[in-house]
Amino acid sequence: MQSYTSSFFLILAVLIASTTMYSQDFQGQATYFSKSKLELGSWGARMSEAQKKQVQARLKNRLEKTYVLSFNREESHFDEKDKLDAISGATDSWGSNFSPGEQYKNISEGSLVQSQEFYGKLFLVRDKLPTIDWKMGKETKKIGDYLCIKATAQIPTDQLTWYDFSWGQLRNENDESDEESSEVQTDMTEVEAWYTPQIPVGHGPGEYWGLPGLILEVSAGNTIMLCSKIVMNPRERLEIEAPEKGKEITKMEYKETITNKMKEMRDNRGRRRSR
C-alpha cells in the first residue's frame, strides 16, 4: 500500500488514458470468491472446538460462494455459481431462501432488478439503486494485474441484507415496538472497497456500485468478496439481461413478505407445541 504521490497521479493518468483501448461497447466478466466468518454467538460458547468444526463444515456451502459478474459500460448481471453441499451433495434449500438471487443493475437508469425465490414462490424485485456515499481513500494495492484504490462507506445494514432474515432481527423488531420513543436507530455496516480505474465502469458485486472503476474487493461485516479472475471482451458476446419471471415487488415489500411468513411459521410451531 502507498499514499498518494505525484508519481502515483502520473501513473493514474496513464491508466485512465489507457482505457481508450476499450470500445464504447466493451464487455467483461469477473469471478468473485466470497467467504464469511461463522458467528455462533452465545450458542458457540457452549460448544467444543470439535463441534464448532463440524458446524463449520456443514455450513461451508453457505459461508463460501463463487459469483460471476458480467458487465458493459451501463449494465451488469451478477449471480452465484451453482455449488453443491460438500457433505450431502445436495443444494442448501434452507439457505437458498435467504440468499441473493440473480441480479441486474443499470447504472445509467439507476435501476435494479433481482429474482428471488422464497419457499418455491418466485418474486421479481424492482427498485432503485441505493445511493452510496463513498469516501475516497489514499491507499493503493494490486489485485492480480490491476492497480486498485481504497474507498470506504457507511451503509444501512438493511440496505445490504433486504433479502435475508434472522430470528434475532425479529426479536429486535419486537423490542422496538415496545419502546415509547419514536426515534429508531439505524444499524450501519462499515464497508471497505478496492476499485480499479483500469476498468472504468461503476459496477461491483452485489449491492456495491458507484465508484470510478470496477470494484475488485469488498469487505463488509463478517464477509469478504475478492475478484479472482477477469476476462475482458470475451470471444463470445455476453448477454446481459434482466430476469423477467416472478411477482413484481419492491425491496421493502419483499422484506415484509418474508418477515411475515417467518412470523407465521413461528406462531404455527408455537400453537402445535402448546396442544
Side-chain angles (χ1 to χ4, degrees):
M1 298 183 186
Q2 307 168 340
S3 61
Y4 278 126
T5 63
S6 58
S7 60
F8 168 72
F9 281 115
L10 179 60
I11 293 172
L12 183 57
V14 171
L15 292 176
I16 295 175
S18 69
T19 61
T20 56
M21 67 179 173
Y22 297 123
S23 62
Q24 289 297 314
D25 61 347
F26 82 92
Q27 295 185 318
Q29 194 168 70
T31 302
Y32 294 83
F33 178 71
S34 172
K35 188 170 184 177
S36 300
K37 287 183 181 179
L38 180 61
E39 300 289 348
L40 295 173
S42 57
W43 180 48
R46 299 190 295 270
M47 299 173 66
S48 68
E49 289 303 315
Q51 289 173 322
K52 290 179 182 179
K53 288 181 180 179
Q54 286 181 338
V55 173
Q56 182 94 19
R58 291 191 176 277
L59 295 180
K60 185 176 181 180
N61 63 321
R62 293 194 204 178
L63 300 172
E64 298 180 7
K65 295 177 180 291
T66 302
Y67 298 91
V68 175
L69 176 72
S70 302
F71 58 89
N72 55 34
R73 288 194 181 278
E74 297 181 349
E75 304 165 289
S76 69
H77 179 276
F78 184 71
D79 201 9
E80 181 185 351
K81 276 190 173 181
D82 291 335
K83 195 171 183 180
L84 297 181
D85 187 300
I87 294 178
S88 67
T91 55
D92 178 11
S93 57
W94 169 263
S96 64
N97 287 308
F98 309 108
S99 297
E102 178 188 1
Q103 181 194 76
Y104 167 88
K105 294 199 290 274
N106 188 313
I107 59 176
S108 64
E109 298 177 354
S111 62
L112 173 141
V113 182
Q114 189 158 319
S115 176
Q116 291 291 136
E117 185 176 355
F118 182 70
Y119 282 104
K121 186 170 183 178
L122 194 62
F123 294 87
L124 190 66
V125 180
R126 291 185 182 274
D127 218 313
K128 295 179 180 179
L129 285 175
T131 300
I132 302 178
D133 184 19
W134 292 108
K135 307 297 183 185
M136 313 306 281
K138 296 184 178 182
E139 297 175 82
T140 65
K141 71 176 181 179
K142 289 201 74 175
I143 297 177
D145 296 328
Y146 295 91
L147 179 66
C148 296
I149 305 171
K150 181 179 177 180
T152 58
Q154 292 281 337
I155 302 177
T157 302
D158 59 2
Q159 183 174 298
L160 301 175
T161 60
W162 57 268
Y163 49 79
D164 199 2
F165 172 84
S166 72
W167 295 112
Q169 200 172 34
L170 198 58
R171 288 191 294 271
N172 291 339
E173 284 186 9
N174 292 336
D175 292 341
E176 288 175 2
S177 64
D178 293 338
E179 293 179 0
E180 294 182 2
S181 173
S182 60
E183 294 183 6
V184 178
Q185 186 174 358
T186 301
D187 290 333
M188 305 294 285
T189 295
E190 185 174 349
V191 177
E192 178 182 296
W194 294 86
Y195 68 95
T196 176
Q198 289 176 263
I199 305 177
V201 295
H203 300 303
E207 305 301 302
Y208 308 104
W209 73 288
L211 285 167
L214 182 66
I215 299 171
L216 299 191
E217 181 180 324
V218 178
S219 299
N222 65 346
T223 300
I224 183 169
M225 194 174 297
L226 178 65
C227 180
S228 58
K229 180 182 178 182
I230 298 176
V231 178
M232 296 303 302
N233 297 318
R235 291 182 179 179
E236 292 189 16
R237 186 166 183 80
L238 301 171
E239 296 296 329
I240 303 174
E241 299 177 343
E244 297 178 342
K245 296 181 180 179
K247 176 185 176 182
E248 291 200 12
I249 197 169
T250 65
K251 287 191 288 189
M252 183 176 292
E253 290 169 342
Y254 182 78
K255 185 69 174 180
E256 291 175 354
T257 297
I258 64 174
T259 299
N260 290 336
K261 181 62 178 178
M262 297 308 292
K263 285 180 181 177
E264 179 185 326
M265 292 173 62
R266 178 200 60 186
D267 294 343
N268 288 341
R269 187 166 61 244
R271 282 194 288 268
R272 286 196 299 268
R273 289 176 177 175
S274 62
R275 289 176 184 173

